[in-house]
Amino acid sequence: MADDRYQGHDYYLVDDLLTEEHKLIRETVRTWVKQNVSPIIEEYAQKAEFPIHLLKGLGEIGAFGPYIPAEYGGPGLDQISYGIIMQELERCDSGLRSTASVQSSLVMFPIWSYATEAQKQKWLPKLATGELLGCFGLTEPDHGSNPNGMVTNFKDAGDHVILNGAKMWISNAPFADIAVVWAKDEEGTIRGLVVERGMEGFTTPTTHGKWSLRASATGELVFDNVKVPKANLFPDIRGLKGPLSCLNSARYGIAWGALGAALDCYDTALRYSKERIQFGKPIGSFQLQQKKLAEMITEITKAQLLVWRLGVLKNDHRASPQQISMAKRNNVEIALRTAREARQMLGGMGITGEYPIMRHMMNLESVVTYEGTHDIHLLITGMDVTGFNAFN
Ligand code: TGC
Ligand code: FAD
């Protein structure tokens, strides 16, 4: 990866559908990634370490809250720009994109959408620059696909609430300065609140031993009678639609992002197929290898058109949660298949860290699970087209 020769692939001239600003943003992020991340990402993944020094740079390129308006410190870009940024980051590593999409869609988005003006001013500008890092606590040890069953809860105690419970599998948790947490009040209604590092009884143990997203920090959020000021509660949002609306934004970013990982695997396999000689010929001249490449670029092209159209709908506020769900599921699935096929094309070299494919493949095993598993997204589409709820 240190020798990053990625150039992008655009078989159907989808670039014609982008503005000059979109292309400039892509170039800026790609250059930053090649200079700052490609040379180090394999080493950080191998040692399972989060490259925390990149946070400031991610802020500078606008990767934190790309669509958050300037009055709150964001660059105020459109949704396609947000997608392009996520794609360029995940082209390098899904963990890098995870850090940015959690900060953008799961921390800044709910603060921007549901917080008071004072809360927005307190947190958004510092999150935009990377001075503060955030995380999002929805999943619990016993409630993953079914977050409605959560047991984390708080009780009213005058000017503050007392929070108890635990969240699991939380991206950014070990380094986060603040956590957007979803918990039930005394009536059993889901509410959102911001828990700050340093509050007594709040700890964030790291999750060790992951074979996936090794360059992204994952941890738990443990709340043991944490006193959270009422000023940290989101005032008006109630129920599961609060956290699920954040997931719409994050899943949209993942649909673009996973395509980046697919493009990088295809790019690597295509180049390798022209350079690797077996039986006296480049392996790319064998029909079975060409079949793999032809199928990869076909699926990538379909996925590019899907996210572009979704971006247009999202800019118009017309993208439904179900449409976003379909794009997340499809694009992660094709990325995972592309990674598996590309890895085979590199033979033994495909399992080494000299090429990015195995790392992408292992990362994508998390991406296909988080933000709603592949099967949960199938059921979302199933319910949408039949009208029957197959969840319960
Ligand atoms: P259901 O009864 O269908 O809905 C409850 C309320 O929520 C509303 N709603 C939505 N609102 C906005 N956006 C959506 N996508 C929504 N889906 C549902 C719904 O209208 C209703 O509102 P109201 O006003 O009637 O109360 O809920 P359910 O309990 O049957 O669950 C539905 C289901 C299974 C689809 C949902 O629970 C789900 O999506 N489960 C998957 C959980 C998940 O995705 N977790 C992700 C955790 S965060 C994460 O993984 C971050 S990884 C980040 C990284 O590192 O990049
Ligand atoms: P389960 O819900 O136990 O599912 C197990 C299996 O059962 C899956 O195959 C699932 O598809 C299937 N299943 C469940 N219900 C049904 C059904 N009704 N019908 C058919 N099949 C079903 N969460 C956060 O809140 N914040 C984060 O920042 C975050 N980051 C993450 C980072 C990583 C690296 C990982 C791996 C996860 C992260 N998550 C995060 C959690 C993630 O969202 C959950 O893992 C995911 O929602 C699935 O929940 P679960 O792991 O409990 O699996």
Side-chain angles (χ1 to χ4, degrees):
M1 195 69 181
D3 175 26
D4 186 349
R5 292 190 274 161
Y6 178 77
Q7 291 303 332
H9 297 274
D10 184 17
Y11 201 72
Y12 257 48
L13 312 184
V14 181
D15 265 14
D16 290 356
L17 303 170
L18 302 179
T19 63
E20 287 311 308
E21 189 187 28
H22 291 145
K23 290 180 216 169
L24 186 64
I25 289 166
R26 183 175 61 195
E27 200 45 46
T28 305
V29 178
R30 189 173 295 173
T31 303
W32 181 83
V33 164
K34 283 190 177 192
Q35 284 173 355
N36 297 282
V37 197
S38 301
I40 58 147
I41 192 65
E42 181 63 31
E43 182 198 338
Y44 275 81
Q46 290 279 359
K47 60 185 183 184
E49 199 176 309
F50 175 53
I52 195 164
H53 67 279
L54 295 176
L55 291 182
K56 191 166 167 282
L58 282 164
E60 282 166 3
I61 59 168
F64 291 153
Y67 54 81
I68 299 294
E71 60 183 306
Y72 299 117
L77 300 172
D78 74 345
Q79 289 290 329
I80 292 183
S81 304
Y82 172 46
I84 287 171
I85 295 170
M86 296 302 116
Q87 185 165 108
E88 290 303 314
L89 297 180
E90 193 150 2
R91 201 279 303 169
C92 182
D93 191 84
S94 302
L96 184 67
R97 195 269 310 139
S98 257
T99 301
S101 58
V102 167
Q103 180 94 333
S104 301
S105 287
L106 299 181
V107 178
M108 297 178 76
F109 173 83
I111 293 174
W112 179 47
S113 306
Y114 304 127
T116 62
E117 189 56 33
Q119 292 169 335
K120 289 180 201 186
Q121 295 296 349
K122 178 174 177 189
W123 290 307
L124 287 177
K126 288 183 179 166
L127 288 163
T129 58
E131 191 182 332
L132 287 182
L133 182 69
C135 68
F136 175 87
L138 179 64
T139 305
E140 299 188 353
D142 294 328
H143 302 94
S145 297
N146 178 25
N148 203 32
M150 69 172 67
V151 293
T152 297
N153 67 87
F154 62 86
K155 291 188 171 33
D156 196 316
D159 62 350
H160 61 273
V161 297
I162 304 287
L163 180 67
N164 277 292
K167 300 287 177 179
M168 192 179 177
W169 293 118
I170 307 305
S171 301
N172 297 353
F175 295 97
D177 301 286
I178 62 169
V180 169
V181 175
W182 301 93
K184 285 180 175 166
D185 67 13
E186 284 163 87
E187 280 78 49
T189 303
I190 295 174
R191 301 275 310 265
L193 63 169
V194 179
V195 181
E196 300 175 66
R197 187 170 293 283
M199 287 180 172
E200 208 179 326
F202 174 43
T203 49
T204 59
T206 302
T207 302
H208 293 288
K210 291 182 299 167
W211 284 108
S212 176
L213 288 190
R214 288 169 64 82
S216 155
T218 312
E220 294 166 53
L221 304 176
V222 181
F223 313 108
D224 180 10
N225 285 315
V226 184
K227 273 172 74 170
V228 183
K230 277 194 180 153
N232 283 25
L233 256 78
F234 296 150
D236 298 324
I237 187 74
R238 300 279 189 288
L240 198 57
K241 63 177 177 292
L244 291 183
S245 64
C246 308
L247 299 187
N248 295 335
S249 178
R251 289 168 178 171
Y252 168 78
I254 291 172
W256 280 88
L259 185 50
L263 279 159
D264 200 43
C265 292
Y266 170 75
D267 181 72
T268 305
L270 178 62
R271 192 173 306 111
Y272 193 83
S273 78
K274 294 177 185 172
E275 293 170 357
R276 175 69 174 167
I277 308 292
Q278 286 296 289
F279 299 95
K281 294 182 195 168
I283 60 166
S285 64
F286 299 127
Q287 290 179 5
L288 284 174
Q289 304 304 314
Q290 288 187 6
K291 175 176 184 287
K292 288 187 200 299
L293 291 166
E295 286 173 350
M296 285 179 204
I297 192 63
T298 305
E299 291 307 316
I300 284 171
T301 301
K302 285 164 23 185
Q304 283 172 322
L305 290 164
L306 191 66
V307 286
W308 175 79
R309 176 65 186 153
L310 190 64
V312 170
L313 290 175
K314 204 146 192 322
N315 277 340
D316 286 352
H317 307 284
R318 288 197 295 144
S320 72
Q322 292 80 4
Q323 288 167 335
I324 294 169
S325 157
M326 178 187 280
K328 188 271 182 184
R329 170 176 54 82
N330 180 76
N331 287 13
V332 177
E333 168 74 4
I334 72 106
L336 202 41
R337 262 194 271 135
T338 301
R340 288 172 182 154
E341 292 290 299
R343 202 223 53 75
Q344 289 190 53
M345 287 188 66
L346 268 72
M349 290 311 291
I351 70 152
T352 72
E354 247 176 81
Y355 295 90
I357 295 178
M358 189 79 175
R359 178 165 45 79
H360 280 309
M361 195 173 101
M362 295 195 301
N363 284 342
L364 288 163
E365 291 291 344
S366 286
V367 183
V368 78
T369 291
Y370 66 36
E371 297 275 2
T373 67
H374 182 83
D375 288 347
I376 290 296
H377 287 295
L378 282 172
L379 297 181
I380 290 174
T381 305
M383 181 158 71
D384 199 34
V385 297
T386 66
F388 300 126
N389 183 341
F391 286 111
N392 306 305

